[in-house]
Amino acid sequence: MSTQFFAKTSTEINLFQGYPSFDQLTRDEAEKIQVSLLSPCGRFMALATAETVHVFTGVEFTQSLLRVSLKDVYDLHFSPSGNFLSTWERPSISEPDHKNVKIWELNVETPSETPRYAYQAKMQNGWALQFSKLDNFALKQFDREVRIVKIDSADNATFNFSKPYSKLVPEQPISSFLISPSEFPTICTFSPEKSGKPAILSIYSIAEGVTEKKIATKTFFKADSCQLKWNLQGNAVLCMAITDFDSSNKSYYGENTLYLLSFQGANGTLGGKSVRVPLSKEGPIHDFTWSPTSRQFGVIYGYMPATITFFDLKGNVVHSLPEQPKNTMLFSPTGRYILIAGFGNLQGSVEILDRHDKFRCITKFDAANTSVCKWSPGGEFILTATTSPRLRVDNGLKIWHVTGTLCFVKEYKELLKVDWRHQISSKLNKSHVIKFQETSTEDSFSDPKLGKIEVEVHDSATEYLSKRQKKNGASSGASSKPAGAYRPPHARRAGGAPSVPGAAIRNAKVVPGTVGVVPGVSGKDSKAAAKNRKKRENNKNEPSPGAEALTVDETAQPKVNKEASPEEKKIRSLLKKLRAIEALKLKQASGETLEDTQILKIQSEDKVAKELDFLGWKSDGAQ
């Protein structure tokens, strides 16, 4: 694997060359790095400090492409083809009209230090413009309408939203929209439920002038907000509708429903379809994602243990897995392998399924405390990381092979971000002015089920595994006592604690109906108890009772025999009081302050002893 990946801390960025060498290139910045980002095309890396924004390119990001003086930049955004970089500055109180969003053009031989377009966005959520896959359209919402400009590189990339290429004005105000990732894009809009009117989900085709042709639409209730996901082909979109409150009071996070809108032909010339995805179990939707083939999608939903189901483009169930505690699903870039895992508040168990082999599980491994999980661009490796501030301990990253082998480990004191560097697409490379050639390409790998893979493990992974084995071995050998059932305090003191001076402990007596021994008590069985025990032994043909002897110091209380006589039950009750008195006397001898009711219980010891003697419980003596 030649694909690179990077890790960001507060003061440096580590770039790794990938399998098998994992060579590291450290970029040490004098100032604190506030935010960094890799472009989707893999050509650029942008980082922002307190005073500047810097864009690098090249095989190892050593070539400086653009450097501008810009203060308080806290967010970055690349267009899909990497031709434009958007920066978001913290709004200025002293300058109410300050345009804190700026767009910089990078796909030129010498990028200008003057932004191509600037506007104001006070909120950090949804501040960036939406670009089409080829960066030839840009979208921005103005109150109730969405304006679309067509970007012509020959026209110096103008963003004239006052004279847009097209306008989209839905019948209801929209709260969110998303352009499809296809070369001939469409737009999905969502209008929330309001004033008794249902929510509306629609797909529009872009047309010059006014965009008003609906390809597909769906109306429904119980939708205050939504989450949209297009498939890669851009002919189907999933919408998870979310309510702020759950009417059944079963969830803190509201109710979730999933809808599917799809169409056929260019811009829906062959018709569209909208369905509600049939989820067979109540509860929240933990994750939903498209296959890279764009023909299937998977959903993890329901109260734990969750249900995992795969659907086709028509919303029909393709396959379901047994219920299990999972909340994350990731398809590999080739679409063959599916990663399902339980992260967050779950234990971090990971399974890899083979889509071509009836969803068979090919490997399992544990990645505890994972906050970031991503497939490599070639689909052979998996990157898992524990980052801050999600977790401030055990920060670090791990590289796993698809067979479950841990290949590389890098630990950090504070790790803020990790990501793969994607390879530039050959289709998009034709229009790119800024290019670079990678030294090698990611090697293909054999199918795990064929057993032809020999994964080379880095020394860091070997050292990490050996440390864990030593740690686990030391912790397991710290205590020689095996884990067993719970023992009450009086039993623990009686079994192992040294005797307390001045504490009177009565001699052992045998509990009627059992052959167990009460600590510190001894005596003879009553006649009724002996008769009942002998009758049970003859009826059940059991071996000698001595083979099944139960000591009271190993159980919370003796087993009650259904055939026990009233005298036996009374004796057991009195012995229970006697054990409680002995426990209180131990507390009193150790200097612990007792309540008045506890002192009265201690004073009733003689009365309890007399009742035992009256019922035939003979003591050999008292200390």
Side-chain angles (χ1 to χ4, degrees):
M1 182 191 72
S2 66
T3 302
Q4 300 171 341
F5 59 94
F6 89 110
K8 173 188 175 295
T9 67
S10 59
T11 57
E12 66 180 15
I13 292 179
N14 301 148
L15 183 68
F16 298 87
Q17 298 295 353
Y19 180 86
S21 63
F22 295 103
D23 294 333
Q24 177 179 336
L25 173 66
T26 301
R27 181 184 305 278
D28 190 5
E29 298 288 338
E31 300 180 69
K32 181 179 179 181
I33 302 173
Q34 296 181 158
V35 61
S36 64
L37 186 65
L38 292 181
S39 64
C41 64
R43 295 180 295 164
F44 309 119
M45 179 182 68
L47 58 88
T49 62
E51 300 289 337
T52 62
V53 174
H54 209 163
V55 181
F56 297 91
T57 187
V59 176
E60 296 182 352
F61 292 130
T62 55
Q63 179 183 350
S64 177
L65 180 66
L66 176 66
R67 184 184 182 93
V68 293
S69 297
L70 210 59
K71 296 182 179 180
D72 299 329
V73 173
Y74 285 94
D75 206 351
L76 301 171
H77 180 264
F78 277 104
S79 61
S81 294
N83 296 330
F84 300 98
L85 171 67
S86 303
T87 59
W88 183 86
E89 307 165 49
R90 186 172 57 190
S92 175
I93 300 177
S94 59
E95 301 180 34
D97 297 330
H98 172 62
K99 296 181 178 180
N100 61 324
V101 177
K102 297 178 175 62
I103 299 178
W104 314 84
E105 187 177 6
L106 304 179
N107 191 30
V108 290
E109 294 182 359
T110 305
S112 174
E113 296 185 4
T114 303
R116 188 63 61 196
Y117 181 64
Y119 60 96
Q120 188 180 61
K122 295 183 179 180
M123 302 297 294
Q124 192 172 357
N125 293 331
W127 64 271
L129 297 183
Q130 290 192 25
F131 289 86
S132 60
K133 179 181 180 180
L134 302 180
D135 288 353
N136 54 350
F137 289 102
L139 287 73
K140 188 176 186 297
Q141 185 174 358
F142 290 82
D143 296 330
R144 295 191 57 168
E145 66 181 21
V146 177
R147 297 181 185 178
I148 307 166
V149 296
K150 192 172 184 179
I151 303 172
D152 187 0
S153 57
D155 193 23
N156 208 16
T158 58
F159 291 84
N160 190 359
F161 284 99
S162 60
K163 296 181 180 180
Y165 172 80
S166 179
K167 288 184 180 181
L168 172 61
V169 186
E171 59 270 22
Q172 288 184 210
I174 63 174
S175 61
S176 60
F177 65 96
L178 186 64
I179 189 170
S180 66
S182 63
E183 296 182 11
F184 302 96
T186 55
I187 306 172
C188 180
T189 64
F190 172 78
S191 300
E193 176 185 358
K194 188 175 182 180
S195 302
K197 295 182 180 180
I200 301 177
L201 184 68
S202 303
I203 298 179
Y204 294 87
S205 61
I206 298 178
E208 187 174 359
V210 178
T211 295
E212 55 185 7
K213 178 185 175 182
K214 288 185 180 180
I215 301 175
T217 186
K218 181 72 174 178
T219 58
F220 47 87
F221 289 94
K222 293 185 177 181
D224 299 321
S225 60
C226 78
Q227 182 180 352
L228 300 173
K229 286 187 181 180
W230 282 98
N231 61 358
L232 289 181
Q233 288 186 1
N235 62 349
V237 64
L238 287 170
C239 170
M240 183 176 71
I242 307 169
T243 60
D244 296 334
F245 301 99
D246 184 2
S247 58
S248 62
N249 292 326
K250 293 182 179 180
S251 174
Y252 291 104
Y253 308 103
E255 296 181 74
N256 301 151
T257 50
L258 192 64
Y259 297 93
L260 169 65
L261 271 66
S262 61
F263 59 88
Q264 296 180 344
N267 290 334
T269 54
L270 301 180
K273 185 178 181 181
S274 60
V275 296
R276 176 175 176 175
V277 180
L279 304 181
S280 59
K281 184 179 180 181
E282 291 185 355
I285 298 175
H286 306 285
D287 196 9
F288 64 101
T289 183
W290 282 100
S291 168
T293 63
S294 297
R295 296 190 297 268
Q296 292 181 358
F297 62 93
V299 187
I300 303 179
Y301 60 96
Y303 298 108
M304 290 294 170
T307 300
I308 304 174
T309 307
F310 299 90
F311 301 87
D312 61 12
L313 266 180
K314 296 181 179 180
N316 300 322
V317 176
V318 175
H319 185 76
S320 292
L321 299 177
E323 292 185 351
Q324 49 191 302
K326 297 291 192 296
N327 59 6
T328 303
M329 178 185 298
L330 295 171
F331 281 84
S332 67
T334 61
R336 173 160 190 175
Y337 302 106
I338 308 169
L339 179 147
I340 56 173
F343 296 140
N345 58 349
L346 300 178
Q347 295 181 351
S349 59
V350 179
E351 296 184 14
I352 307 297
L353 311 179
D354 188 352
R355 174 63 187 88
H356 295 178
D357 194 8
K358 300 179 181 179
F359 299 90
R360 182 179 65 89
C361 178
I362 61 174
T363 187
K364 296 180 180 180
F365 60 90
D366 291 329
N369 300 328
T370 294
S371 52
V372 179
C373 181
K374 295 184 177 182
W375 283 95
S376 67
E380 184 180 0
F381 293 87
I382 302 163
L383 168 64
T384 62
T386 303
T387 58
S388 180
R390 173 65 177 82
L391 285 174
R392 299 189 181 274
V393 295
D394 298 332
N395 280 196
L397 63 88
K398 299 181 180 69
I399 302 294
W400 308 79
H401 192 259
V402 70
T403 55
T405 304
L406 181 60
C407 300
F408 177 73
V409 177
K410 178 68 175 178
E411 297 180 289
Y412 289 88
K413 183 178 180 180
E414 183 185 37
L415 180 63
L416 301 178
K417 189 176 183 180
V418 293
D419 200 2
W420 293 100
R421 183 180 186 179
H422 292 266
Q423 296 176 345
I424 187 171
S425 172
S426 59
K427 181 181 295 186
L428 301 178
N429 192 24
K430 299 177 182 178
S431 62
H432 286 174
V433 177
I434 306 298
K435 305 176 183 179
F436 70 90
Q437 297 294 330
E438 290 214 56
T439 55
S440 60
T441 58
E442 185 168 354
D443 298 329
S444 60
F445 65 102
S446 302
D447 187 0
K449 69 179 183 180
L450 300 179
K452 297 181 180 179
I453 296 179
E454 294 182 2
V455 182
E456 183 176 342
V457 179
H458 195 264
D459 294 339
S460 61
T462 305
E463 295 176 3
Y464 176 79
L465 293 175
S466 62
K467 288 180 182 178
R468 289 191 62 186
Q469 290 176 357
K470 290 180 181 179
K471 185 177 180 180
N472 294 338
S475 61
S476 61
S479 176
S480 59
K481 294 183 179 181
Y486 168 76
R487 298 177 64 190
H490 71 271
R492 292 197 295 267
R493 283 193 293 269
S499 59
V500 180
I505 303 177
R506 302 182 62 86
N507 289 344
K509 291 186 178 181
V510 179
V511 179
T514 69
V515 293
V517 179
V518 179
V521 192
S522 64
K524 299 179 181 179
D525 293 11
S526 65
K527 294 181 180 180
K531 183 177 180 181
N532 290 333
R533 185 172 67 254
K534 185 175 181 181
K535 183 178 179 180
R536 288 195 305 273
E537 292 172 358
N538 294 334
N539 291 341
K540 296 183 180 180
N541 295 322
E542 292 180 349
S544 173
E548 297 181 328
L550 296 176
T551 57
V552 178
D553 64 332
E554 294 179 353
T555 58
Q557 65 183 37
K559 288 185 177 181
V560 179
N561 191 341
K562 293 182 180 180
E563 301 180 7
S565 64
E567 293 84 357
E568 292 172 345
K569 295 179 181 179
K570 182 64 175 178
I571 290 174
R572 290 194 185 94
S573 177
L574 293 172
L575 289 175
K576 184 177 180 181
K577 291 182 180 180
L578 189 62
R579 288 193 296 271
I581 292 172
E582 300 300 342
L584 292 175
K585 292 172 68 175
L586 287 174
K587 290 184 179 180
Q588 189 179 42
S590 63
E592 186 174 342
T593 304
L594 301 181
E595 297 179 358
D596 295 340
T597 56
Q598 293 175 323
I599 295 175
L600 293 175
K601 185 177 289 187
I602 293 175
Q603 295 174 355
S604 66
E605 181 181 9
D606 293 338
K607 181 180 179 181
V608 174
K610 290 179 181 180
E611 292 186 18
L612 285 171
D613 293 337
F614 178 77
L615 293 173
W617 185 266
K618 299 296 182 181
S619 174
D620 293 339
Q623 291 182 348

